[in-house]
Amino acid sequence: MGTPVTNHSQAFVYADKVEKEELGGGVSRQILGYGPDLMIVRAWFDKGAVGAVHAHPHSQATYVESGRFEVFIDGQKSELSAGDGFYVAPHRNHGAVCIEAGVLIDTFNPVREDFLSQEG
């Protein structure tokens, strides 16, 4: 799985000091804090960028900071914009298409160790 992860992030995480990770396809992310049971991630999407349908064992709650997204969760879809949010239960298929460039704030329980092992 890669490099073992630390227990938690620093107590204070400053966005201007955390490098954005380019994921390709018009998507990038920045990890803003984590501990064993929680993680928060900011994800930028260009217009037309796709968060491919996938599933993982983590609970996920997401806040739409800006932009517009068509979000798919377990066969249902909805258009969401700034101020909206969604929840994905563990092991549920989900994904998104960005209709208008924007930012999602994702929270995960437990920590997404796969995100941390890809850093550095």
Side-chain angles (χ1 to χ4, degrees), residues 42-45 63-67 69 98 100-105:
R42 177 183 284 155
W44 288 263
F45 286 77
Y63 171 74
V64 181
E65 179 181 287
S66 62
F69 295 83
C98 184
E100 178 184 300
V103 177
L104 299 178
I105 305 295

Side-chain angles (χ1 to χ4, degrees), residues 30-115:
Q30 183 182 51
I31 297 172
L32 294 176
Y34 64 91
D37 58 352
L38 185 64
M39 173 180 264
I40 185 167
V41 177
R42 177 183 284 155
W44 288 263
F45 286 77
D46 293 340
K47 181 178 180 175
V50 175
V53 174
H54 64 288
H56 46 69
H58 312 83
S59 295
Q60 176 179 339
T62 297
Y63 171 74
V64 181
E65 179 181 287
S66 62
R68 285 187 323 148
F69 295 83
E70 185 172 53
V71 178
F72 306 88
I73 303 172
D74 234 9
Q76 298 180 347
K77 69 179 175 177
S78 186
E79 186 175 310
L80 302 175
S81 58
D84 296 334
F86 61 92
Y87 170 74
V88 183
H91 306 288
R92 302 291 184 191
N93 287 326
H94 61 285
V97 174
C98 184
I99 300 167
E100 178 184 300
V103 177
L104 299 178
I105 305 295
D106 294 323
T107 57
F108 300 99
N109 174 287
V111 65
R112 290 289 306 258
E113 290 192 17
D114 55 324
F115 285 9

